[in-house]
């Protein structure tokens, strides 16, 4: 229903006094195109409570998140949050999702190239990642971010060449740690189509140790 009625609900609630609370309630329950319109509305009319939700839960993994990821990063002041004193796992994980989307959403929404704090937020995310417990999702998201950064000219990532290279090395240092390698080996199904794509593309381009070892040695 949200695909058809989401835009109308978002518009109506923006006009209503106290509509921000209702928008947040709806955002927590809507998907697809409806989520796009409701999250965009929240970005225009957010309260303190909705800022926390935007920074941690706005992106649900749908391809359509590309339309609003940049707006969330800007409106919810992601740079201030990820470099602040109160940084939790949900914020770090969602920041990774935002960066992964913004690295490759050209034609949909704001990309890293047009996000001025990109090098600061990328470096902060990589630094926080190093202190997190390894999980498959964290590994894959970080690897895809690093792959996008190395695949494009640095200016397309909003960075200088030096900044880009330093950030990529930050990510690779974490991804090649033994505990992270063990986690992704144990968590990814080698018979799954996604594993085959990831191993043959992202892991190969980055020379990720976990996958090089699976083939019989580290080819770095």
């Amino acid at each position: 229903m949200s695909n058809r009625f989401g835009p109308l609900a978002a518009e109506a609630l923006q006009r209503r006094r106290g509509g921000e609370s209702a928008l947040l309630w709806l955002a927590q329950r809507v998907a697809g195109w409806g989520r796009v319109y409701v999250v965009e509305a929240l970005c225009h009319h957010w309260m303190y409570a909705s800022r926390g939700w935007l920074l941690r839960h706005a992106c649900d993994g749908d391809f359509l998140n590309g339309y609003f990821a940049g707006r969330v990063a800007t409106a919810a002041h992601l740079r201030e949050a990820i470099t602040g004193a109160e940084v939790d796992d949900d914020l770090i994980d969602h920041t990774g999702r935002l960066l992964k989307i913004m690295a490759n959403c050209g034609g949909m929404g704001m990309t890293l190239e047009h996000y001025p704090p990109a090098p600061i937020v990328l470096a902060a995310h990589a630094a926080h990642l190093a202190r997190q417990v390894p999980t498959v999702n964290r590994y894959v998201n970080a690897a895809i971010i690093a792959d996008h950064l190395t695949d494009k000219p640095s200016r397309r990532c909003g960075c200088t060449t030096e900044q880009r290279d330093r950030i990529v090395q930050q990510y690779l240092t974490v991804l090649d740690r033994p505990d992270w390698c063990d986690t992704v080996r144990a968590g990814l199904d080698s018979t799954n189509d996604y594993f085959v794509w990831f191993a043959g593309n992202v892991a190969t381009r980055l020379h990720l140790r976990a996958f090089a070892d699976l083939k019989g040695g580290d080819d770095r």
Side-chain angles (χ1 to χ4, degrees):
M1 292 178 65
S2 72
N3 287 335
R4 177 167 296 183
F5 299 110
L8 296 175
E11 179 64 24
L13 291 174
Q14 287 182 82
R15 295 171 177 266
R16 177 184 174 188
R17 180 177 298 177
E20 295 91 348
S21 296
L23 278 171
L24 178 59
W25 183 92
L26 187 58
Q28 295 168 340
R29 294 162 173 80
V30 74
W33 278 108
R35 192 179 190 90
V36 174
Y37 290 104
V38 174
V39 170
E40 288 180 341
L42 274 178
C43 287
H44 289 294
H45 302 279
W46 65 268
M47 306 174 297
Y48 181 80
S50 60
R51 183 197 178 205
W53 183 86
L54 286 170
L55 286 168
R56 292 167 174 83
H57 305 292
C59 295
D60 63 352
D62 193 294
F63 175 74
L64 296 175
N65 292 170
Y67 285 105
F68 60 73
R71 294 191 183 189
V72 169
T74 301
H77 304 292
L78 175 60
R79 171 185 174 176
E80 175 186 314
I82 198 64
T83 60
E86 298 181 4
V87 179
D88 53 58
D89 280 342
D90 286 342
L91 174 59
I92 300 168
D93 292 342
H94 191 259
T95 297
R97 290 196 291 275
L98 287 171
L99 292 171
K100 182 179 73 171
I101 294 167
M102 292 171 68
N104 196 39
C105 67
M108 297 179 69
M110 181 189 296
T111 63
L112 293 177
E113 181 179 6
H114 299 103
Y115 178 56
I120 296 172
V121 175
L122 283 162
H125 176 252
H128 288 304
L129 187 75
R131 296 189 288 272
Q132 286 190 290
V133 173
T135 69
V136 171
N137 284 339
R138 288 169 183 166
Y139 183 104
V140 170
N141 284 344
I144 291 176
I145 293 170
D147 185 50
H148 283 316
L149 293 179
T150 57
D151 188 50
K152 301 174 181 177
S154 57
R155 62 176 179 78
R156 295 280 304 279
C157 309
C159 302
T160 65
T161 300
E162 292 76 14
Q163 288 171 328
R164 189 270 311 274
D165 292 347
R166 184 166 58 250
I167 291 165
V168 169
Q169 190 55 52
Q170 280 184 272
Y171 281 120
L172 295 181
T173 297
V174 177
L175 296 175
D176 283 343
R177 285 180 0 196
D179 54 339
W180 285 75
C181 291
D182 291 344
T183 296
V184 75
R185 287 190 193 116
L188 278 181
D189 180 0
S190 61
T191 64
N192 184 277
D193 288 342
Y194 185 81
F195 175 94
V196 175
W197 171 83
F198 184 88
N201 291 274
V202 176
T204 298
R205 287 191 292 267
L206 295 177
H207 306 289
L208 295 177
R209 179 165 290 125
F211 294 83
D213 288 352
L214 286 176
K215 293 182 290 187
D218 189 343
D219 60 357
R220 279 195 174 182

